[in-house]
Amino acid sequence: MATQTESQYSRYKEEFSSFLTDTWIGYAFVIPATVLLAVVIGYPTLRGLYLAFFEVSLLNPEQMEFVGLQHFRALAADPIFKAALWHTVLLTALAVSFQYLLGLGLALALKEKVPGAGIFRSLSMVTWVMPIIVMVIIFRFMVQNGFGPVNIILDSLGMRTTYWFGEPGVAFPLIVVMHVWRNVPFYAISLLAAMNSIPKEQYEAARLDGAGPLERFRYVTLPQISYVSMIMIVLHVTFTFKNFDIVYLSTGGGPLGNTEVLATYVYKQAFEQYALGYGASIGVVMLILMLTFTIVYVKLEEVD
Amino acid sequence: MLKGLGVGAAASLAGCGGLGGGNGDGEQALMWEYGFPNTEGAEPVWRNKFESMYEELAGEEIQISRYSYEDLRQKFLTGASTGDPDAIEGTLSHLSEYIAAEHVEPLDDLADSIDHLDGYVDSTVEAMTYQDTLYALPYEGNARALFVRQDILDELGQDVPESAEAFHEIGRMINDEYDDVTAFHNCTKDGSVRAFQEWMTHIYQHTDQLYVPDGDGWQLNIEADALGQVFDNWYYQIYAADNPVGDPDDLGTGWQTNDPGYINGNYAFIESGTWMRNWTSGENIQSTDAAKDILDNKTLIAHPAHADGASRGTFLEVKPVMVNTHSDQIEKGKTAVEAYTHPETLGEGMAQDPEGSGKAMTPVHDDVESTIENENWQPLTDIFTTGRALAKATWGPVREEFYTYMQEVSYGETDPYDAGEQFHEALQDLESEI
């Protein structure tokens, strides 16, 4: 009896010791990354949240005055902020929708092994890896008044030419086009990879059940690319929502504030008006909106 | 979000100090700059001369990091308190901001100890001084001038216009007579620093300084009507009037259209500076031969035209070299400033650097000879003397207000004189903020 108890105790001890060892090894692996993330992501985030409740100048960041929710009240009455928020939401919705739909269409076309698909796959990432400044220079050149290729074509068709980034009403759609141009191939490649992982037998079975191309897409393809779709959409919604470079380099937020987005407004508040606290409060609004979107979207995807 | 939070965090890092400064006494000094030209494989004469001068004065080498002016400013404003860099080069508006942020070290003792201080052009040293304290030494200066296509004026039998009215008249004449040349271009892009400088050029024709010191603050020093006149002459008449002097299809463009546009022969007038001198190749230039012909043979430099009741005056850019007051190696920083602004560096290095000779056309020191050889470019020296440097206010909020009203006038959304009134009120509101 004593031997049995001793043996049980020994087994528990071994298991506990093994658990502890394994766990601590796990912790040991995780801790460096956690500390790094805390420093690189956690600290700036918390600091930004903190600053949003203070009046603080970029030129004298040591002098901080607690103002509570004053910045958020000011944001509610700030017409430029409201316009920038609307532009940001509209830009994100349009850019991500077009990117997804065009990327999906392209992926379906590539899946059917259209001629040139191999070359496209090789070249497709060029737009995505291209530095944003290079992309903006190319687009600026393309719509340059007089000698830009777009204007040369329009002129040959007897249509109006101008510097289109300087045209109210056209500058904003052009920003959308730049986002779409940059990201569609990445969507296509990612969705194509997800489609290629679907077993062919499922399509065969659907065909035997009398499913046409649309049904096969709706009931076989779409459900099985939804996870990749979710990742792509969440990533690009956040990327587009906080994107600064594309707008700032191409229009600076103009003309007449037509392309002002939250990211450019944060920059102007922090680095031109020196209003760090107010800029941080805009950042907090962006954080809340993005977190809400991500949580809701991921939950909906799980339910689905 | 990260932009906003990054700004805050970076600023807080800058503000918290105590993170250790600089490289320690035993390490090389670190300098941030954007002044040395990108020589693209050719020998960087000026940079080499600076390095050897520093080595001669300090007995050791110096580290140099290059950033664009925008990055230079942001990184220094948010990170100067860490102690890096020891010395920094920049623009006058940067100097104002760094003084306000208490990031730059007074250099009066350095000025007393160096031999070459007396040789600087007075106005350039004044531009480095705030409330009787010297915060930087100048190394380069240029004044904004009117670039004129002399050949076009000759063909039309016209003289260089001095008044804004004559400028508009000749401009409209050029637009009528030439299909492939637009009379004038200036920058109207939101956020364009160049647009702000062009506007200041015309402001300085109406007043010595837009803001003057008033106790510890600033007082606006211009009438609303003058602001309206500037908007009318240089934005409304250029882009929004019935028969515009410029091309409304150029609205929203910046220097990328302005300077190469002139060099490529698209414009008859622009307001620009010495950097144009050797700009005859590169991605924006359509034909090197044509560019050389325009700059060497067809260009005349003149004072920017001014409105009735205004006088000659222009935007003067003087480039400062400063020392980070948070550095652990302030003396090394001062040595870097001395070496960078030394007449030998400027004379032998900057002037002989084939890519940098435009910078030496209007030198800031008596011991440095001007590199102007072309007779048509000689007026740059005279224009330089009429230039006015930015007051030591923090100009960011003024710039932001300017872009709004400038675009409203240029796009014909607001009457220029109404915009002048509104802008005047906005600028008065900024008196306590800048």
Side-chain angles (χ1 to χ4, degrees):
Chain A
M1 185 68 184
T3 314
Q4 196 181 356
T5 309
E6 211 169 272
S7 153
Q8 267 183 341
Y9 174 74
S10 168
R11 209 179 76 226
Y12 286 133
K13 193 181 163 189
E14 258 175 45
E15 277 185 15
F16 183 69
S17 159
S18 155
F19 171 76
L20 266 187
T21 310
D22 289 349
T23 307
W24 281 112
I25 285 173
Y27 284 140
F29 280 121
V30 166
I31 282 171
T34 309
V35 170
L36 194 67
L37 282 177
V39 172
V40 175
I41 295 174
Y43 175 74
T45 306
L46 293 174
R47 184 72 185 170
L49 288 168
Y50 179 73
L51 283 179
F53 299 96
F54 287 85
E55 190 73 63
V56 50
S57 164
L58 175 70
L59 301 180
N60 291 295
E62 304 88 357
Q63 292 172 13
M64 299 170 71
E65 183 191 346
F66 182 73
V67 293
L69 295 172
Q70 189 179 301
H71 290 320
F72 296 95
R73 279 195 291 272
L75 283 179
D78 182 345
I80 302 176
F81 169 75
K82 288 178 192 170
L85 178 59
W86 166 240
H87 293 153
T88 307
V89 171
L90 190 63
L91 170 67
T92 307
L94 289 173
V96 175
S97 301
F98 282 122
Q99 284 164 11
Y100 185 76
L101 291 174
L102 292 173
L104 183 61
L106 202 54
L108 287 168
L110 291 173
K111 190 165 167 281
E112 298 307 317
K113 297 185 173 51
V114 292
I119 296 171
F120 175 81
R121 268 198 291 269
S122 307
L123 296 176
S124 62
M125 299 306 276
V126 169
T127 62
W128 199 69
V129 297
M130 181 182 285
I132 286 177
I133 179 65
V134 176
M135 180 186 77
V136 173
I137 288 171
I138 290 171
F139 269 80
R140 271 202 311 237
F141 169 73
M142 282 169 50
V143 301
Q144 193 67 263
N145 182 32
F147 55 87
V150 170
N151 281 321
I152 289 172
I153 293 168
L154 290 176
D155 191 42
S156 68
L157 297 171
M159 296 170 76
R160 189 188 159 207
T161 64
T162 189
Y163 175 63
W164 294 104
F165 278 123
E167 184 70 10
V170 179
F172 186 82
L174 258 182
I175 301 282
V176 176
V177 168
M178 290 167 82
H179 277 274
V180 172
W181 180 84
R182 183 173 182 77
N183 292 317
V184 161
F186 186 58
Y187 273 82
I189 294 296
S190 304
L191 293 172
L192 181 63
M195 287 175 192
N196 285 338
S197 68
I198 301 170
K200 286 191 174 54
E201 292 76 9
Q202 292 188 11
Y203 287 105
E204 290 299 323
R207 200 173 279 122
L208 288 173
D209 286 344
L214 273 180
E215 281 88 1
R216 290 202 295 277
F217 173 72
R218 168 68 185 87
Y219 295 107
V220 180
T221 308
L222 212 49
Q224 299 194 67
I225 61 168
S226 69
Y227 190 69
V228 170
S229 299
M230 180 195 75
I231 292 170
M232 297 297 293
I233 287 170
V234 168
L235 279 178
H236 282 88
V237 162
T238 49
F239 168 76
T240 313
F241 199 85
K242 68 183 175 61
N243 181 263
F244 166 79
D245 323 44
I246 291 178
V247 175
Y248 194 75
L249 293 170
S250 55
T251 64
L256 299 167
N258 272 272
T259 61
E260 195 78 81
V261 290
L262 291 177
T264 54
Y265 195 45
V266 168
Y267 174 85
K268 287 176 180 178
Q269 286 298 321
F271 281 105
E272 292 293 327
Q273 307 279 10
Y274 316 119
L276 268 190
Y278 194 64
S281 68
I282 302 170
V284 169
V285 172
M286 294 171 75
L287 176 68
I288 291 168
L289 289 172
M290 278 302 87
L291 276 179
T292 308
F293 166 80
T294 306
I295 290 166
V296 169
Y297 188 88
V298 171
K299 285 284 173 200
L300 284 175
E301 178 64 24
E302 279 173 5
V303 169
D304 193 38
Chain B
M1 179 64 209
L2 281 177
K3 285 283 174 194
L5 296 182
V7 163
S12 67
L13 282 171
C16 70
L19 289 175
N23 307 309
D25 278 348
E27 294 189 21
Q28 291 176 357
L30 174 65
M31 171 145 201
W32 289 358
E33 63 80 34
Y34 191 58
F36 299 128
N38 182 5
T39 53
E40 291 176 351
E43 187 193 354
V45 183
W46 177 13
R47 181 183 162 128
N48 289 351
K49 180 64 194 172
F50 163 67
E51 286 177 320
S52 63
M53 175 61 73
Y54 179 84
E55 207 171 332
E56 189 182 317
L57 294 172
E60 63 179 30
E61 294 179 347
I62 186 168
Q63 292 179 57
I64 301 171
S65 290
R66 184 181 178 85
Y67 298 96
S68 70
Y69 274 131
E70 207 164 318
D71 285 348
L72 206 65
R73 169 180 175 264
Q74 286 170 26
K75 286 180 193 299
F76 195 68
L77 278 175
T78 54
S81 297
T82 63
D84 279 341
D86 302 299
I88 183 167
E89 178 253 328
T91 69
L92 263 187
S93 63
H94 295 174
L95 176 62
S96 305
E97 291 174 328
Y98 300 164
I99 291 172
E102 299 178 2
H103 285 334
V104 283
E105 179 76 4
L107 297 180
D108 293 302
D109 58 340
L110 174 69
D112 291 340
S113 70
I114 58 176
D115 297 331
H116 58 264
L117 184 78
D118 289 342
Y120 285 115
V121 176
D122 288 345
S123 63
T124 65
V125 176
E126 280 163 23
M128 308 288 118
T129 307
Y130 179 58
Q131 294 184 335
D132 298 327
T133 302
L134 183 74
Y135 284 98
L137 286 182
Y139 77 91
E140 192 239 327
N142 67 77
R144 206 50 48 88
L146 183 65
F147 280 57
V148 180
R149 279 288 297 275
Q150 179 70 53
D151 57 318
I152 291 178
L153 290 194
D154 288 346
E155 282 172 9
L156 295 173
Q158 299 294 321
D159 294 326
V160 175
E162 282 222 26
S163 73
E165 201 177 16
F167 181 83
H168 297 150
E169 193 182 326
I170 294 172
R172 290 180 171 118
M173 201 184 293
I174 291 169
N175 289 340
D176 287 343
E177 296 292 327
Y178 294 83
D179 289 336
D180 55 347
V181 178
T182 299
F184 182 61
H185 179 276
N186 59 0
C187 301
T188 51
K189 186 188 170 200
D190 189 352
S192 161
V193 174
R194 184 69 178 276
F196 174 74
Q197 294 172 347
E198 288 171 350
W199 172 70
M200 284 302 291
T201 290
H202 296 288
I203 290 296
Y204 285 135
Q205 296 173 334
H206 291 264
T207 179
D208 284 349
Q209 283 298 342
L210 185 61
Y211 284 99
V212 290
D214 180 30
D216 285 340
W218 296 94
Q219 188 177 32
L220 186 63
N221 187 38
I222 194 167
E223 298 297 323
D225 188 60
L227 293 174
Q229 262 188 304
V230 172
F231 278 142
D232 186 17
N233 286 327
W234 305 107
Y235 298 95
Y236 182 79
Q237 296 297 333
I238 306 305
Y239 294 111
D242 283 343
N243 184 11
V245 178
D247 181 354
D249 288 334
D250 282 333
L251 276 167
T253 54
W255 64 264
Q256 297 91 340
T257 298
N258 193 69
D259 295 350
Y262 178 85
I263 296 168
N264 290 325
N266 301 333
Y267 305 118
F269 301 107
I270 62 162
E271 287 164 359
S272 195
T274 53
W275 59 86
M276 295 279 281
R277 187 68 193 98
N278 293 318
W279 195 348
T280 54
S281 61
E283 60 190 23
N284 295 313
I285 305 303
Q286 290 162 359
S287 160
T288 295
D289 289 343
K292 280 182 179 167
D293 186 37
I294 285 176
L295 293 176
D296 292 345
N297 308 319
K298 294 178 175 173
T299 292
L300 179 69
I301 307 293
H303 287 271
H306 57 77
D308 287 343
S311 57
R312 284 179 173 176
T314 192
F315 176 83
L316 176 70
E317 180 60 271
V318 186
K319 299 283 179 66
V321 193
M322 302 151 276
V323 173
N324 182 354
T325 199
H326 309 288
S327 164
D328 279 351
Q329 311 188 108
I330 283 179
E331 289 311 313
K332 288 184 182 179
K334 288 179 180 174
T335 306
V337 171
E338 184 183 352
Y340 205 101
T341 60
H342 198 286
E344 265 185 53
T345 308
L346 304 180
E348 292 175 31
M350 186 164 92
Q352 289 176 22
D353 198 318
E355 297 299 322
S357 59
K359 290 174 185 289
M361 297 191 77
T362 48
V364 296
H365 197 280
D366 292 343
D367 293 345
V368 182
E369 282 185 32
S370 167
T371 56
I372 299 177
E373 291 169 358
N374 187 310
E375 193 182 326
N376 287 349
W377 290 64
Q378 294 286 351
L380 274 172
T381 313
D382 179 40
I383 294 164
F384 190 72
T385 62
T386 66
R388 285 160 200 160
L390 285 173
K392 297 294 171 300
T394 47
W395 289 95
V398 177
R399 278 198 297 265
E400 282 304 301
E401 291 290 347
F402 161 70
Y403 296 133
T404 302
Y405 290 105
M406 176 271 289
Q407 286 210 329
E408 284 186 7
V409 172
S410 302
Y411 280 85
E413 298 285 316
T414 305
D415 173 84
Y417 289 93
D418 289 347
E421 291 281 347
Q422 294 163 24
F423 191 30
H424 190 265
E425 278 180 36
L427 291 178
Q428 276 181 324
D429 290 344
L430 292 177
E431 285 175 346
S432 58
E433 289 181 33
I434 59 169

